[in-house]
Amino acid sequence: MLDVVRLRVLAAVARHGSVTAAARELHYSQPSVSHHLAKLESETGAKLIQRVGRGIRLTEAGRLLAERAIEIVGRIDSASAELSAHVGLRAGRARLAAFPSALGTFVPEAAALLAGDHPGLELRLTETEPPEALRMLRAGYVDVAVIFRYDDTAPEDDGIQLVHLLDDPSYLVTAGRPGDLASHRDSRWIGGCDRCRSHLLDLCAKAGFEPEIAFTTDDIVAVQALVAAGIGVTALPALALRAHRHPKVNVIELPGSTRHVYAATYGEPPVPPATTALLAALVSATRP
């Protein structure tokens, strides 16, 4: 049977690519980390680590086991937190991953509501886009992922449970008169995250052109500064404009371009009490 402590060591080495950094994270000595890796190789009968100059790298078998180790350790940590939460919401933790404009608008209000109702509950926040948030959710690194999806976004994997929070319309953002989408067929465009950029390409295709995406950034401050300077035009959702609105840009709503915002959990019910409390706070914070 694989030893969980040694799997945790392998996961740390995979994250950092270094025995020294893994030892620092785990508060172990370097010889102790090396000992655990050697024992894990002995238990599995597989070569997991290769020496490369003064450093190390994982073998193919090592990468395979490290991926599983990260999932297993995440699930064990999650189970420990859930068990603590079942004892009572006076203690425990809830972990949330959310995209930037959610963190800049309704998530702080949800955090305040959660703190008011359950002052002993620790909330941890991570900023990331939906694909990575869902990966973290499946691996057990977070309990809830606030994500968005468009009507043309591929369905989420089995096991993902969605709670609808709000619908978020999109806007054409320009420095001059906005016009409609087709009137900017010859403009240079500023693209955002992968999911938003894919949706923009679909919108423009329906309008009969392929946009020239000259710049790419998911920083809503930077993208609006570029638009205001006349560098290009872009499309942004209402939440992004609510989080930050440059005084020199003009906007007009894009018909048929609404993203749907959800709180996602993973696994079958029952949902742990700490997660239930976090979901309730998110729902309350997004009520009209």
Side-chain angles (χ1 to χ4, degrees):
M1 181 179 295
L2 295 176
D3 185 277
V4 174
V5 172
R6 288 164 194 154
L7 290 178
R8 193 179 292 276
V9 168
L10 181 64
V13 170
R15 267 194 305 277
H16 298 289
S18 160
V19 168
T20 301
R24 189 181 303 117
E25 177 192 315
L26 298 170
H27 304 291
Y28 290 172
S29 66
Q30 290 184 43
S32 178
V33 169
S34 298
H35 170 75
H36 281 301
L37 292 174
K39 292 292 290 182
L40 190 56
E41 287 186 330
S42 176
E43 290 173 353
T44 60
K47 185 69 174 175
L48 304 176
I49 303 292
Q50 289 179 327
R51 296 286 175 183
V52 181
R54 295 184 177 180
I56 63 167
R57 69 181 178 194
L58 297 180
T59 64
E60 188 64 32
R63 283 192 294 272
L64 176 63
L65 184 57
E67 289 176 2
R68 295 291 178 258
I70 290 170
E71 294 179 8
I72 291 166
V73 169
R75 286 292 166 199
I76 289 173
D77 290 345
S78 181
S80 176
E82 290 172 8
L83 186 60
S84 296
H86 274 292
V87 173
L89 287 175
R90 294 183 302 276
R93 71 179 183 192
R95 302 164 300 170
L96 174 68
F99 55 92
S101 57
L103 280 173
T105 51
F106 64 84
V107 168
E109 183 179 348
L113 290 171
L114 187 67
D117 292 339
H118 307 288
L121 192 62
E122 178 188 4
L123 177 63
R124 298 183 183 179
L125 299 174
T126 300
E127 178 186 307
T128 189
E129 296 293 344
E132 176 63 13
L134 289 170
R135 188 194 71 79
M136 294 177 70
L137 183 66
R138 288 190 294 268
Y141 293 144
V142 297
D143 307 300
V144 177
V146 172
I147 65 167
F148 63 85
R149 51 179 291 108
Y150 296 94
D151 291 335
D152 52 9
T153 302
E156 311 304 343
D157 295 343
D158 291 341
I160 299 292
Q161 312 296 325
L162 299 177
V163 176
H164 180 257
L165 297 178
L166 58 94
D167 293 322
D168 194 21
S170 295
Y171 290 80
L172 179 63
V173 185
T174 68
R177 293 179 62 84
D180 61 9
L181 201 64
S183 68
H184 290 281
R185 63 173 61 247
D186 296 323
S187 298
R188 292 189 299 175
W189 286 78
I190 304 165
C193 71
D194 289 344
R195 187 166 286 194
C196 294
R197 189 163 58 251
S198 176
H199 179 65
L200 174 63
L201 291 173
D202 288 341
L203 279 179
C204 293
K206 291 176 183 176
F209 71 99
E210 182 178 348
E212 177 195 352
I213 299 181
F215 307 95
T216 299
T217 175
D218 56 6
D219 185 323
I220 59 177
V221 175
V223 70
Q224 291 184 59
L226 289 170
V227 171
I231 302 299
V233 300
T234 193
L236 286 176
L239 281 178
L241 293 167
R242 178 177 148 198
H244 171 76
R245 175 71 181 271
H246 195 290
K248 294 183 179 180
V249 301
N250 298 310
V251 304
I252 187 171
E253 187 171 348
L254 289 170
S257 177
T258 297
R259 66 180 187 177
H260 311 290
V261 179
Y262 298 92
T265 58
Y266 183 69
E268 297 299 322
V271 177
T275 302
T276 299
L278 176 54
L279 289 172
L282 288 166
V283 170
S284 295
T286 51
R287 284 176 179 166

